[in-house]
Amino acid sequence: MVKLHDSYKRFLQIYTLSSNIIGTPLLASRFVPAHQNRHEIRFKTSGAGERALQERQRQHMARGLPKQKPIAGVKEVIVVASGKGGVGKSTTAVNLALGLMANDQSKSVGILDADVYGPSVPKLMNLKGNPELTDKNLMRPLVNFGIPCMSMGFLVEEVAPIVWRGLMVMSAIEKLIRQVDWGNLDYLVIDMPPGTGDVQLSITQNIPIAGAVIVSTPQDIALLDARRGAEMFRKVNVQVLGLVQNMSVFQCPKCSHQTHIFGSDGAKELAQTLGVEMLGDIPLHLNIRETSDKGQPVVVSSPDSPEAEAYRRVAAAVVRRLAEHPR
């Protein structure tokens, strides 16, 4: 019984330490056996003792994290993320990259599609084929609209499911980051997979990131996950540049009446709660959907449209935020 009790206490200590890596506090009371006094286990101290414990945990975590290494030739990395799928993150990432280049033709921009299970960049950028290899055995990105792109979608058949476990996904992400000849880029926009899992942690811990853009629709269910995404980046010391409220309003093409299908100002309120900037609103518009499905993003196919202007404003806000808070 003594050995079992000691093993149990050791399990709780390990669990507490590991949970701090992703910022999830342990609710000890849920794990205390019925025969044991709850007050026997204490994970929190006060004052100097608590600060000392936090410092020891920070040092332990730092020893276990990989050292960040910049991507060769890339000046700044911008990650575009969302707490859940279906909010238009990939469309936003692509048009953000094109908007960065449209606002300043002297800047070179690339796109990395890190959504291994559901790569969307090949379709959005109208790209097909396998990357060629350089003399140094690096993959050459496929290019369209002046944007070099790399995606798992270039390495597998279009309709082939990617049924991989975590370690294989991590290996694929490492290759997409390190074994690509990006040339010289001012900005690399990474289209992250939805959620807050292994891929997000692997990327944020392995490469220096200039900032994160969080995409959400205005309804409460999407905002809950968007907040989790923002908090994750804070836990791993990546600055959140701001939020993009996608599908913010629908305007009837016949009568011009505006309808907030997914609610109004939800992302703006979340930005205020988190203390981050609202980077812009993107409308729910047929033109965005049609141009995306054709592989002709609205920023390049309809540059004078209000939708394209909305993406360019977001891109300008991202650049301004990067200048205000350089990493």
Side-chain angles (χ1 to χ4, degrees):
M1 181 63 70
V2 174
K3 290 184 178 180
L4 178 62
H5 178 67
D6 290 343
S7 298
Y8 179 78
K9 289 182 71 176
R10 179 59 180 160
F11 162 75
L12 285 178
Q13 290 169 355
I14 294 172
Y15 187 89
T16 303
L17 186 59
S18 63
S19 68
N20 277 317
I21 295 176
I22 57 173
T24 304
L26 174 67
L27 300 180
S29 61
R30 295 184 182 178
F31 296 88
V32 177
H35 69 274
Q36 184 177 352
N37 189 323
R38 294 186 179 187
H39 298 290
E40 290 183 52
I41 297 179
R42 295 182 181 177
F43 293 98
K44 290 186 178 180
T45 59
S46 59
E50 183 176 357
R51 289 192 293 272
L53 175 61
Q54 291 175 347
E55 178 61 21
R56 286 198 300 272
Q57 291 173 342
R58 187 194 65 78
Q59 292 174 357
H60 182 88
M61 290 166 56
R63 287 198 299 270
L65 295 178
K67 186 176 180 180
Q68 288 186 334
K69 180 182 177 183
I71 302 175
V74 176
K75 291 182 180 178
E76 292 187 294
V77 175
I78 303 167
V79 296
V80 179
S82 65
K84 70 188 307 99
V87 299
K89 168 186 56 63
S90 296
T91 301
T92 301
V94 164
N95 282 287
L96 169 62
L98 291 165
L100 289 168
M101 198 168 67
N103 288 344
D104 188 345
Q105 295 288 338
S106 67
K107 300 297 184 182
S108 54
V109 186
I111 300 175
L112 170 59
D113 186 354
D115 194 347
V116 173
Y117 293 117
S120 300
V121 168
K123 175 70 172 178
L124 290 167
M125 292 293 286
N126 194 27
L127 289 168
K128 291 183 180 181
N130 301 119
E132 297 178 351
L133 295 179
T134 68
D135 295 337
K136 296 182 179 179
N137 208 32
L138 298 176
M139 293 183 287
R140 284 197 179 98
L142 275 62
V143 180
N144 198 9
F145 311 118
I147 303 279
C149 304
M150 181 52 62
S151 170
M152 182 56 63
F154 301 147
L155 307 177
V156 298
E157 296 203 9
E158 187 174 7
V159 296
I162 300 174
V163 188
W164 289 353
R165 293 188 183 274
L167 289 177
M168 294 182 67
V169 175
M170 295 303 99
S171 177
I173 290 294
E174 180 70 15
K175 287 178 171 57
L176 290 175
I177 292 174
R178 302 294 179 192
Q179 297 184 16
V180 175
D181 182 8
W182 288 107
N184 294 313
L185 295 178
D186 293 291
Y187 305 110
L188 177 63
V189 176
I190 300 183
D191 178 20
M192 300 280 270
T196 56
D198 288 343
V199 173
Q200 288 84 350
L201 286 174
S202 180
I203 290 176
T204 55
Q205 291 172 357
N206 279 280
I207 60 175
I209 295 174
V213 174
I214 309 295
V215 180
S216 180
T217 47
Q219 79 266 37
D220 291 345
I221 194 67
L223 294 169
L224 284 172
D225 291 322
R227 180 166 189 168
R228 292 188 182 100
E231 295 293 353
M232 183 211 69
F233 286 115
R234 286 179 167 174
K235 292 290 184 184
V236 294
N237 296 317
V238 172
Q239 70 168 333
V240 177
L241 300 174
L243 272 67
V244 174
Q245 183 167 255
N246 198 28
M247 308 182 202
S248 59
V249 64
F250 171 74
Q251 180 171 300
C252 177
K254 293 185 178 179
C255 68
S256 298
H257 176 72
Q258 290 189 343
T259 303
H260 297 276
I261 295 176
F262 297 108
S264 62
D265 296 334
K268 291 180 180 178
E269 293 170 2
L270 177 59
Q272 292 175 353
T273 300
L274 295 174
V276 299
E277 186 166 329
M278 185 68 192
L279 298 173
D281 287 274
I282 307 297
L284 177 63
H285 200 282
L286 185 64
N287 193 26
I288 297 175
R289 197 274 300 168
E290 289 180 337
T291 56
S292 297
D293 285 350
K294 293 176 183 177
Q296 302 288 321
V298 69
V299 169
V300 290
S301 60
S302 303
D304 298 326
S305 66
E307 303 80 59
E309 176 58 28
Y311 283 116
R312 288 196 298 270
R313 284 197 299 268
V314 169
V318 167
V319 171
R320 175 175 52 76
R321 290 280 290 134
L322 289 172
E324 290 172 352
H325 302 279
R327 298 300 291 258

